[in-house]
Amino acid sequence: MVLRGTALQSCNLSQNQLQKVPPKLAANFNVLRELNLSHNSISELPEEILSISELNNLDLSTNRLREVPQVIYHFVNLKVLKMGKNAISEINVAKLLQMPSLQELDLRGNPLSPDVKRSLLETRFHVLFDDVDDEERMSVD
């Protein structure tokens, strides 16, 4: 209630034990550029979050994601996506490539398959994994 009508650019909801993202968050703060939802217990994102159309930095690190939420692939202005320390093993790299603004992807601490890592290294993104030696080995092969 206090912030209603305020054009917030950044919102930090990290470390709040959130299990779900409140759908009203997107409706009330649809001009956010940065959203930090790290260190919670989130396992999915509501479709309503797409109404935050100017979002360019999303931090979902240290949550309970088992896959990249489908809604993420529809963000056209997202530049930085942080999803480290989740349980993601597979990613639809083709859908990531359709995200026109995506530049950086942090996936450290996820059990990514070697095929996914290899595919991500062949993209235009700056991708962060756990082990630099793995990255160097994979990029040389």
Side-chain angles (χ1 to χ4, degrees), residues 33-53:
R33 294 194 181 276
E34 296 181 23
L35 179 57
N36 185 345
L37 297 169
S38 66
H39 296 87
N40 282 293
S41 297
I42 298 168
S43 60
E44 60 185 337
L45 293 177
E47 283 198 33
E48 290 86 354
I49 201 165
L50 280 176
S51 65
I52 308 175
S53 59

Side-chain angles (χ1 to χ4, degrees), residues 81-98:
L81 178 58
K82 298 177 182 177
M83 294 187 301
K85 295 184 181 176
N86 279 286
I88 300 168
S89 60
E90 296 296 324
I91 294 176
N92 188 329
V93 177
K95 282 189 175 183
L96 283 177
L97 288 169
Q98 293 175 359

Side-chain angles (χ1 to χ4, degrees), residues 20-82:
K20 295 197 267 187
V21 177
K24 287 186 178 184
L25 172 79
N28 293 332
F29 303 112
N30 59 358
V31 295
L32 285 176
R33 294 194 181 276
E34 296 181 23
L35 179 57
N36 185 345
L37 297 169
S38 66
H39 296 87
N40 282 293
S41 297
I42 298 168
S43 60
E44 60 185 337
L45 293 177
E47 283 198 33
E48 290 86 354
I49 201 165
L50 280 176
S51 65
I52 308 175
S53 59
E54 298 302 313
L55 192 64
N56 59 37
N57 188 326
L58 178 59
D59 191 345
L60 292 167
S61 301
T62 315
N63 274 288
R64 293 188 176 164
L65 297 171
R66 299 183 68 68
E67 62 184 7
V68 177
Q70 292 299 308
V71 68
I72 285 179
Y73 296 121
H74 298 283
F75 280 109
V76 295
N77 292 310
L78 196 63
K79 293 179 181 177
V80 177
L81 178 58
K82 298 177 182 177

